[in-house]
């Protein structure tokens, strides 16, 4: 139902001929293979592939209180799923004469800072950066220049996943000060992503929406001027 709802609203906004969608469990290799086939059938070439699927099992609690099921969902989605998607995207793009660009989305924990109440999620997001670097090195070793793997950092986005943890004073403070709606983040990220294949770039990039300077500036504005309270 989620896919059908998204397709309907997007097609009404920008036209039936511009939007396709299908279901895919990123933890299942055959599902991802089917996604590749679906995309190729409808688009012919895939210039940009964004690994956006992620989960914290909508759970914000100490690791010692986490269930097996929650931990398995987090790790299989964020780590195994990412590896499967990268594998299939690379193999697909290697067979395209013009190659392509893969963007792996990081998250809280990717910079090595602690993530209390969602430690497993933070650990998997830390691994995203390492996996991307390893894939970049592998492609260089194979002398592949037209398939490039990048990191993408959207910062704090007010998705259901983030808002499900907004039940402490500290969490509410940082969401108020640092988080942005998906539409605002997209206004910055999408043109930057699209410019890379358009410019013929073959250099890995790390596109960040919420930079350290921007975060400190917004925190300062909160304390100094009372900005972003709600």
């Amino acid at each position: 139902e989620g896919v059908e709802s998204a397709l309907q609203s997007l097609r009404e906004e920008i036209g039936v001929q511009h939007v396709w969608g299908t279901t895919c469990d990123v933890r299942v290799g055959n599902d991802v293979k089917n996604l590749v086939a679906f995309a190729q059938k409808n688009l012919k070439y895939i210039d940009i592939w964004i690994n956006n699927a992620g989960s914290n099992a909508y759970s914000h609690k100490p690791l010692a209180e986490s269930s097996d099921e929650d931990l398995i969902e987090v790790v299989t989605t964020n780590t195994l799923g990412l590896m499967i998607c990268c594998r299939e995207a690379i193999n697909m793009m290697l067979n395209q004469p013009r190659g392509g660009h893969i963007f792996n989305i990081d998250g809280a924990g990717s910079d090595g800072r602690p993530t209390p109440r969602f430690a497993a999620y933070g650990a998997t997001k830390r691994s995203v950066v390492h996996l991307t670097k390893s894939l970049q090195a592998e492609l260089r070793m194979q002398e592949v220049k037209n398939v490039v793997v990048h990191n993408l950092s959207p910062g704090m986005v007010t998705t259901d996943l983030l808002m499900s943890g907004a039940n402490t004073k500290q969490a509410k403070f940082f969401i108020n000060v640092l988080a942005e709606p998906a539409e605002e983040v997209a206004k910055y990220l999408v043109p930057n992503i699209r410019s890379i294949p358009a410019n013929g770039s073959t250099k890995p990039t790390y596109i960040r929406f919420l930079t350290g300077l921007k975060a400190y500036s917004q925190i300062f504005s909160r304390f100094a001027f009372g900005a972003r309270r709600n």
Side-chain angles (χ1 to χ4, degrees):
E1 290 95 357
V3 172
E4 290 302 323
S5 174
L7 281 172
Q8 183 177 345
S9 62
L10 287 168
R11 284 172 171 168
E12 287 173 0
E13 182 181 349
I14 56 177
V16 172
Q17 70 273 27
H18 296 299
V19 186
W20 293 266
T22 186
T23 57
C24 175
D25 186 337
V26 298
R27 303 169 295 184
V28 179
N30 279 337
D31 268 25
V32 182
K33 285 182 170 68
N34 290 337
L35 175 61
V36 170
F38 177 86
Q40 288 179 313
K41 176 185 175 183
N42 288 286
L43 303 171
K44 308 307 180 221
Y45 283 89
I46 295 85
D47 298 299
I48 298 169
W49 174 291
I50 301 176
N51 286 314
N52 183 54
S55 176
N56 70 347
Y58 293 93
S59 175
H60 293 79
K61 62 181 71 170
L63 183 72
E65 299 175 12
S66 300
S67 67
D68 290 355
E69 292 77 14
D70 284 352
L71 294 176
I72 289 168
E73 178 182 328
V74 171
V75 174
T76 55
T77 303
N78 301 359
T79 304
L80 175 63
L82 178 63
M83 291 177 180
I84 291 172
C85 286
C86 283
R87 180 189 69 193
E88 296 305 322
I90 289 171
N91 285 330
M92 175 265 295
M93 289 177 176
L94 286 173
N95 289 317
Q96 294 185 155
R98 66 195 198 202
H101 295 266
I102 299 164
F103 292 84
N104 293 332
I105 292 191
D106 70 11
S110 60
D111 59 0
R113 297 181 187 181
T115 53
R117 297 202 310 142
F118 50 109
Y121 176 89
T124 60
K125 286 300 181 180
R126 181 63 166 163
S127 73
V128 172
V129 178
H130 179 85
L131 178 65
T132 302
K133 288 180 178 178
S134 295
L135 295 176
Q136 290 167 351
E138 287 180 357
L139 291 168
R140 283 196 301 270
M141 286 172 58
Q142 296 170 294
E143 298 184 349
V144 175
K145 295 182 179 179
N146 64 345
V147 178
V148 190
V149 186
H150 312 266
N151 271 125
L152 189 62
S153 179
M156 296 178 70
V157 186
T158 53
T159 60
D160 292 342
L161 200 69
L162 177 70
M163 301 309 288
S164 65
N167 53 8
T168 69
K169 186 176 180 180
Q170 184 183 36
K172 290 176 182 177
F173 173 84
F174 281 108
I175 288 173
N176 272 328
V177 175
L178 300 179
E180 299 287 357
E183 292 81 4
E184 288 301 312
V185 179
K187 285 178 186 176
Y188 174 83
L189 291 182
V190 172
N192 279 279
I193 293 167
R194 295 184 68 190
S195 70
I196 290 172
N199 295 337
S201 173
T202 59
K203 184 179 179 181
T205 58
Y206 203 146
I207 303 174
R208 291 179 172 89
F209 174 76
L210 182 62
T211 62
L213 182 61
K214 185 187 292 185
Y216 287 126
S217 172
Q218 290 176 192
I219 291 170
F220 173 79
S221 294
R222 170 61 180 270
F223 285 122
F225 309 114
R228 301 177 65 97
R229 286 191 176 275
N230 295 298

